[in-house]
Amino acid sequence: METSWLLLAGALLLSLLVLRRHARNRRLPPGPPAVPLFGNLLWLHHSAADVEPLLLRLFERYGPVVTLRMGSRLAVFVADRRLAHAALVGAGAVTIANRPKPATSALLGVGGNIITNADYGPHWRLLRRNLVAETLHPSRVRLFAPARAWVRGVLLDKLRAGGGGAPGDAMEAFRYTMFCLLVLMCFGKRLGEPAVRAIEDAERAWLLYISQQMSVFFFFPSITKHIFRGRLQAARALRRRQMELFVPLINARREYKRQVKEGQAPTSETTFQHSYVDTLLDITLPEEGHRPLTGDEIVTLCSEFLTAGTDTTSTGLQWIMAELVKNPAVQERLHAEIRATCGDDAEEVSEEAVHHMPYLKAVILEGLRKHPPGHFVLPHKAADDMDVGGYLIPKGATVNFMVAEMGRDGREWERPMEFAPERFLEGGDGAGVDMTGTKGIRMMPFGAGRRICAGLSIAMLHLEYFVANMVREFEWREAPGHEVEFEEKREFTTVMKKPLRPRLVPRRS
């Protein structure tokens, strides 16, 4: 009799658990049928790069919130701007402020506590506050004005050299020169091209390998770490190369700070008084007995700094300049504004001048709306169960937001696939748009909410400054045989599949 009661109680408990699970599942956002253990991986025929076109089809079928199962993990994708605002800025802002841990964190011991990936909490706040207040604050950004002027010269020289024969790859020039600038801001030293190239090659090799080859460890890492041992060994070798290049520069900066403190710092045109590394050397972690950052942690944060500021800005420059090539009337209107503001005799379009050019800002905003460098924000992770659009987002689920879809939504934007900077001027459908998303989200190339990109202001400055100077120096035309095509290719950012190779006609002697 006692056994029968135990069996009955067990059956009832099992039934309640099943019913509860079904009730939760009914509230989950819809999505395609999932295969046990594998989830929706079979829908992704080749790699995770296939996920965007799949998602576009799923949004048409299921609505603006859909679910994919990546193995045992739940991933939710949101395409509606109002739901994104409610989740990122509204009541759910703190709940969704965490990040999923990358595969590299446990397996390689790197990447888990940088600003980009750290969970929302004291450690993240300390690192982000340091970056914003000590390096990206306007007073600090102004210190690097000579660096931007130097990089402007390097960029224009690269573009001129590329036009000597066949049209050069503009993206290569953008990427190299933006990397020069970020290396200088990071390490406080103006390096020669061979040194910059070595760091660039090592950083890009690491970034591409981690993004393209390490995703296999996202599923069943206890098993895959044995199956794909070779990939882990290759990743560790790339990491050692990073350390070999970064540690001497960090140590040199530590010595420079010591000399400054003792009043013995040498003066040099290639050494700057401030750098991001300086701030990292001063940080102590209160929650860990006020210990300083380790050398490995500083290298990882430097890598994050270089990556975050290079590819996004160079990708933005590529798309904007491609649109100016295809829209000569827009380019001429922009050039007329530049001439009216700066005249013909100034050596450059100054950083002060770009603040007085509304059409220039409209061109930049339109480029970011139509061609955001990242079509997704970095993924968020729900710290607790939360509600998005009436659906349950369970604790631990990954949540992502479709940046490109929001900026190209025909319900929110007139002629969304047309490049029309005028929309951001007074009276246009984009006038007064809030780039931070605080008041409402219409486009979010820098994200929104607690994890909005810390470099929003400096990124806008760099785009405005370099676009203005390139348009002042050259007329950008389409080159025969290298016509501009807007087909996209996903790398670390979403770049042009066919690289931009323009014909550059000097405007000044």
Side-chain angles (χ1 to χ4, degrees), residues 122-389:
H123 184 83
W124 173 82
R125 280 192 289 269
L126 174 66
L127 295 178
R128 182 183 169 97
R129 184 169 59 246
N130 171 72
L131 173 64
V132 172
E134 300 298 331
T135 301
L136 301 183
H137 188 274
S139 62
R140 295 294 194 185
V141 169
R142 282 193 290 272
L143 295 177
F144 292 105
R148 283 185 288 277
W150 167 65
V151 167
R152 172 187 56 81
V154 173
L155 173 59
L156 297 180
D157 286 345
K158 291 286 181 187
L159 292 172
R160 290 189 191 99
D169 183 347
M171 182 61 168
E172 200 284 327
F174 298 157
R175 187 177 282 141
Y176 170 73
T177 50
M178 291 306 103
F179 198 80
C180 278
L181 178 56
L182 269 293
V183 166
L184 191 155
M185 293 178 67
C186 185
F187 299 109
K189 185 75 174 175
R190 197 171 82 188
L191 303 178
E193 183 161 348
V196 172
R197 291 288 188 189
I199 299 172
E200 182 185 26
D201 291 345
E203 190 67 15
R204 190 146 194 87
W206 166 261
L207 178 66
L208 290 177
Y209 196 86
I210 293 300
S211 62
Q212 295 176 359
Q213 301 297 322
M214 298 294 284
S215 58
V216 295
F217 300 108
F218 190 77
F219 313 102
F220 316 115
S222 59
I223 299 173
T224 51
K225 70 179 182 181
H226 298 293
I227 298 174
F228 299 103
R229 287 194 302 271
R231 296 194 188 193
L232 289 175
Q233 292 170 356
R236 292 187 181 107
L238 293 171
R239 176 63 175 178
R240 286 194 296 273
R241 178 59 175 157
Q242 267 188 328
M243 298 289 289
E244 291 169 1
L245 292 168
F246 286 20
V247 169
L249 294 170
I250 293 167
N251 289 338
R253 201 64 197 182
R254 183 180 282 110
E255 174 64 16
Y256 176 78
K257 282 171 64 67
R258 184 193 66 77
Q259 292 174 340
V260 168
K261 188 175 181 179
E262 296 176 358
Q264 302 174 354
T267 57
S268 170
E269 290 184 358
T270 60
T271 301
F272 276 62
Q273 295 180 354
H274 181 72
S275 76
Y276 182 49
V277 167
D278 294 351
T279 73
L280 299 178
L281 292 171
D282 292 336
I283 284 179
T284 59
L285 304 178
E287 68 275 16
E288 299 184 38
H290 291 278
R291 71 166 178 85
L293 294 174
T294 66
D296 193 75
E297 288 169 332
I298 293 176
V299 167
T300 303
L301 286 161
C302 289
S303 176
E304 175 190 43
F305 183 83
L306 296 176
T307 299
T310 299
D311 278 84
T312 50
T313 304
S314 55
T315 299
L317 288 173
Q318 183 189 42
W319 286 113
I320 291 166
M321 299 314 295
E323 288 285 3
L324 292 178
V325 170
K326 289 296 282 187
N327 295 276
V330 173
Q331 183 179 166
E332 286 311 304
R333 179 173 176 178
L334 175 58
H335 183 244
E337 181 182 65
I338 294 168
R339 289 190 64 188
T341 305
C342 302
D344 294 324
D345 298 328
E347 181 181 351
E348 65 166 357
V349 182
S350 69
E351 295 179 17
E352 292 73 21
V354 301
H355 296 309
H356 303 286
M357 298 185 191
Y359 194 68
L360 169 64
K361 185 170 185 178
V363 167
I364 303 304
L365 290 174
E366 181 69 339
L368 292 173
R369 179 198 66 80
K370 187 181 175 187
H371 305 287
H375 281 202
F376 305 85
V377 296
L378 291 172
H380 295 247
K381 186 178 75 171
D384 207 341
D385 288 359
M386 63 181 295
D387 181 278
V388 172

